Amino acid sequence: MTSRSIRRAVATALAATTALTAAACAAPNEGRGSSKPTDSAVVGIAYEPETLSPLLGYGKDGNSKIFDGLLTHDAGMHLKPALAAALPKVTDGGTTYTYTLRPGVTFSDGKPFTADDVVFTYDTILDEKTNNASKAELDALDTVEKKDDRTVVFHLKYPYAPFAERTVLPIAPRHLAGRQDVNTGPFTTHPVGTGPYVLTNWSKGEKLTFTANPHYWGGTPKVKHLTMAIIKDDDIRATRLRSGDLDGAILPPELAATFKTDNNRTTLAARTFDYRNVTLPSANPVTGDRAVRRALDLAVDRQAMVDGILSGAGKPAYGPVPTDSPWFAKGTERPHDLGKAQRLLDDAGWKKGPDGIRAKNGQRASFTLWYLSGDKLRQEHALAFASDAKKAGIEAKVESGTWEAIEPNMKQDAVLAGGGSPADPDFDQYLLLHSSLAGDGFNNMSRYANKTVDDQLVTARRTDDHTARKAAYDTIQRELAEDPAYTFLTHVDHLYVVDNRWKDLTTQVEPHDHGLASGPWWNAEDWQPAK
Amino acid sequence: MTARRALTAVPVLLAVTLGVFALAAASPFDPVRAYAGTAGLTASQENLDQLRHNLGADQPLLTHWWHWLTGALTGDLGDSTSLRAPVSQVIGERLGWSVLLCAPAFALAMTAGTLLGVLAARRRGSPLDRAITATAYALEAAPPYWLGLLAVWLGALKLGVLPAGGLTDTGSDLATPGQIARHLALPALVLAVSQLPWFVLYVRQGVGDALEEDPVRGARARGLRERTVLYRHALRSGLLPVLTLIGSRVPELITGALLVETVFSWPGIAAATVQAATGVDFPLLAALTVLATAAVLAGNLLSDLLYGLADPRVGFDG
């Protein structure tokens, strides 16, 4: 290299650097200020979906923005018709569901929506070649039959009262999705549906952009452009919200708290069914003992966890049903009572040793408690549980690991678990409690077996008489107070911070999962500008 | 030399892909669990077993690898399980954005690093040298992730001059070159700054040593001007080690890009790599590893070639 060429190279590089910096500085300041158009909204989400194909499980709980199901939920989580013209007619003792379809609905590509699309969607999901991990949710479904272009009949294997709740899952167009590989075809990333929004672009890892569907059967949305920015890091999401880049975002409690004094933004706390509990494996000689289970249930200070871990954004949990749900059995709350817990253990023969830990017939009251590594909320719950248990003389040795590390130990070790599904009590409780599912995957992790509970679970799913169902779930909750299957700790609120540019925002009661369309944007199509 | 090196790359690449498959198979992560995500927590065992079969995760390691390899040779890279799309599509969509991020960052790090290194080397021990060296050491210790957070805070929040993330304005769908350039500035700068110290310190050392060598002192003694001494003599031998550095920085650049892309929601290939790894996505992971290995091999080859061109004493077949 000669000196001249070096000099030239350096000069070029300098010029390029200056140009780049100048360009950056001269650029107008677009992302900030109040001059934003009133017909577009940008929200920050923490999780990116792997797929947008309903055939692979996207939007199965409703609210998919691009798609509609036969039914959908209103703000109070009550079912209402969407692609169906009315709620289904249930006949044959609860095994036949007949839906009449809404006339005149088209997919966003202009093709009409018919009964063929409904049959195609359900048949494809049930096909064993389709890689849909949620297909067990349609376990009750035997066949789907097209009566005519506007009538679809579902035949069930057994009477299943909450089946209509499952028909919120989005309908895919047969004319597009039927012609390609269901697991990897272009439809998985470029979906076409009947919903209020049309996906215009999915820049993976960056954002999803939607534009209002002008032909939407429910009327064209006011918010014409909707962007969901994918920002995995909590701090960055908060920063971009603060910089005015986002209109709203989901945030963990401690970051949401930093917006408390912000006059331009409001924090919305969505009520949820999202619980944290501790599994009590029946095979473990300590957690399998009913006296220990009952003592733990009384020894944990749930309110302290809500105040300390959740900064007040949550509720004490006594079972999968939150205390403010109409399904909750009043009177089954168990207040924190360490003295009673101690007495229960004393009476059952668990005597305190010199180190403060109890023992019975040579068995130390000690077990391992796993939590998912990296999940701060679960870690704090696990540590609080262990500290409360210790006060009653029971040792929980807290360990962390990935699900792969935890799974082989689930049979004898306790796990800090989470879950929750608001649509119907059956969705949670059957999987959590029925003895036939003991140790089946992540279902019934405690391997709980209780004859009364088993019977009531089946009764509750087979009748669609609301009073009878409520009575069955009340019995189950009272039985759980006597013979706990898990130690339920808290129901966790989900927090969203939103710009005051929008008025009258609401949230639905949310499940454990954070879908794309949970949070105040569950009904972005109905948002109104504040001014 | 180029042809021979290219030939030796083949067994290296083969071994690397087999290694990826073996490591992934030995890892405690379960591809089926990863594929199912949260739905797997309520799925029945029967459902999970069916998924395992459909994904081919029940095949033995060697069958799995051979299947992938023969497919790859005929141009079929398979389907990414974590992104539910063909691997070639995933790479096609993302690779360009990563190159767009890495190329200017690398060029900037190289030129600015050389410049600062020479400045520091000219007066070793001077306040300027000490300032540059201390900053370089501090930056060397700073993780790119942290630098990214700092840049977002400063650029987007305090000064409000640059967007905090993404490829285009969050609310807009149009990807104009001007918008992309504005969005590129912060992440590229952060990546450049994270690479900068290596070049600064190498150049400072190389040029500084060269300035104390006999030929340079001789030139000075002959009364040549300082500039001539610097350009004609010191830089020439002093910059040689930097050429090696160019090649060896490639892997660091890739890992740096990985963190920077995550912070800035940059839709590049690095973000997909993380997803492939945590999702035990064999086909995508293998293809990306081949790409990264090829980049490293090419980087080393490039620096050797440059070295040979710059210093005739280095034989190409030596």
Side-chain angles (χ1 to χ4, degrees), chain A residues 388-401:
Chain A
D388 287 346
K390 185 142 198 200
K391 288 178 197 150
I394 299 167
E395 181 184 52
K397 287 175 289 187
V398 177
E399 280 196 49
S400 74

Side-chain angles (χ1 to χ4, degrees), chain B:
Chain B
M1 178 177 89
T2 316
R4 215 190 54 210
R5 288 277 286 268
L7 215 62
T8 53
V10 173
V12 172
L13 287 174
L14 276 182
V16 165
T17 59
L18 183 60
V20 167
F21 273 76
L23 275 178
S27 89
F29 293 102
D30 178 4
V32 178
R33 182 76 56 217
Y35 184 94
T38 44
L41 298 182
T42 49
S44 66
Q45 197 57 49
E46 185 194 348
N47 193 187
L48 291 174
D49 292 343
Q50 181 67 45
L51 261 180
R52 186 175 302 280
H53 179 72
N54 288 1
L55 296 177
D58 50 357
Q59 291 174 5
L61 164 67
L62 279 177
T63 321
H64 207 170
W65 177 68
W66 185 247
H67 196 79
W68 176 84
L69 188 69
T70 48
L73 289 177
T74 58
D76 175 16
L77 290 172
D79 295 318
S80 157
T81 54
S82 65
L83 294 160
R84 317 283 200 267
V87 168
S88 47
Q89 183 193 329
V90 171
I91 294 179
E93 277 170 1
R94 291 167 173 256
L95 188 61
W97 297 123
S98 285
V99 172
L100 185 69
L101 172 66
C102 291
F106 201 53
L108 188 63
M110 215 158 61
T111 45
T114 308
L115 216 67
L116 290 170
V118 170
L119 276 179
R122 282 182 66 178
R123 301 259 184 281
R124 278 215 271 197
S126 70
L128 181 68
D129 173 36
R130 265 181 288 167
I132 291 177
T133 318
T135 315
Y137 277 122
L139 285 178
E140 200 179 346
Y145 191 78
W146 180 80
L147 286 175
L149 282 172
L150 193 72
V152 169
W153 175 78
L154 193 71
L157 205 61
K158 283 289 144 196
L159 306 175
V161 288
L162 285 172
L167 189 61
T168 54
D169 287 345
T170 321
S172 142
D173 232 356
L174 284 167
T176 60
Q179 262 199 25
I180 294 178
R182 240 158 47 76
H183 281 77
L184 178 64
L186 272 189
L189 207 65
V190 168
L191 191 55
V193 166
S194 74
Q195 299 295 313
L196 188 67
W198 304 92
F199 287 99
V200 172
L201 297 172
Y202 254 71
V203 169
R204 177 184 173 274
Q205 190 68 39
V207 174
D209 287 351
L211 279 171
E212 278 160 20
E213 274 170 17
D214 287 345
V216 175
R217 283 156 71 180
R220 278 215 182 105
R222 274 180 277 132
L224 289 177
R225 284 191 309 156
E226 192 61 32
R227 283 171 64 119
T228 321
V229 171
L230 186 67
Y231 289 135
R232 284 265 163 80
H233 301 277
L235 278 189
R236 197 160 174 160
S237 57
L239 284 181
L240 276 177
V242 180
L243 296 178
T244 325
L245 190 65
I246 293 175
S248 62
R249 290 314 295 166
V250 169
E252 283 287 328
L253 187 70
I254 295 174
T255 49
L258 209 134
L259 296 167
V260 170
E261 283 184 9
T262 312
V263 172
F264 289 94
S265 300
W266 190 258
I269 200 79
T273 313
V274 180
Q275 216 157 345
T278 53
V280 208
D281 184 348
F282 287 93
L284 184 57
L285 206 55
L288 289 175
T289 318
V290 169
L291 262 180
T293 315
V296 171
L297 290 175
N300 282 327
L301 178 62
L302 180 75
S303 57
D304 287 355
L305 286 175
L306 285 176
Y307 210 103
L309 285 178
D311 189 346
R313 285 171 301 173
V314 180
F316 279 129
D317 276 313

Side-chain angles (χ1 to χ4, degrees), chain A residues 22-220:
Chain A
C25 294
N29 184 7
E30 282 160 37
R32 294 157 68 92
S34 57
S35 57
K36 284 190 182 174
T38 54
D39 65 348
S40 59
V42 183
V43 300
I45 55 175
Y47 298 98
E48 181 168 35
E50 285 89 10
T51 170
L52 293 177
S53 170
L55 304 170
L56 298 180
Y58 166 68
K60 67 186 176 64
D61 297 317
N63 282 345
S64 69
K65 298 283 169 257
I66 311 164
F67 296 95
D68 295 302
L70 291 172
L71 304 179
T72 188
H73 292 121
D74 64 11
M77 287 301 284
H78 301 295
L79 284 176
K80 63 173 189 178
L83 287 180
L87 294 179
K89 270 204 289 293
V90 186
T91 49
D92 297 338
T95 56
T96 306
Y97 281 67
T98 307
Y99 288 80
T100 307
L101 306 186
R102 189 181 290 274
V105 176
T106 57
F107 286 100
S108 58
D109 65 350
K111 294 274 177 15
F113 154 76
T114 72
D116 288 325
D117 300 306
V118 180
V119 174
F120 163 76
T121 299
Y122 283 87
D123 278 350
T124 308
I125 291 175
L126 290 178
D127 185 350
E128 62 175 29
K129 290 198 185 64
T130 304
N131 295 340
N132 182 323
S134 313
K135 69 176 77 181
E137 295 187 351
L138 294 176
D139 179 57
L141 182 56
D142 188 22
T143 55
V144 194
E145 180 197 355
K146 168 190 172 180
K147 266 273 180 325
D148 58 58
D149 263 357
R150 285 192 48 217
T151 315
V152 181
V153 183
F154 293 82
H155 299 283
L156 307 192
K157 294 179 203 156
Y158 48 84
Y160 187 52
F163 181 73
E165 288 283 353
R166 292 300 190 205
T167 58
V168 300
L169 76 80
I171 302 299
R174 187 177 72 154
H175 67 273
L176 290 171
R179 291 204 190 125
Q180 43 179 275
D181 183 336
V182 59
N183 294 320
T184 56
F187 185 75
T188 61
T189 47
H190 297 95
V192 170
T194 57
Y197 287 95
V198 178
L199 180 81
T200 46
N201 189 31
W202 182 6
S203 173
K204 287 214 179 143
E206 189 202 358
K207 66 187 171 188
L208 297 124
T209 47
F210 305 90
T211 181
N213 177 359
H215 309 298
Y216 184 51
W217 56 268
T220 314

Side-chain angles (χ1 to χ4, degrees), chain A residues 436-449:
Chain A
S436 68
L437 293 175
D440 175 78
F442 282 76
N443 296 322
N444 193 351
M445 280 161 75
S446 285
R447 295 168 196 250
Y448 182 68

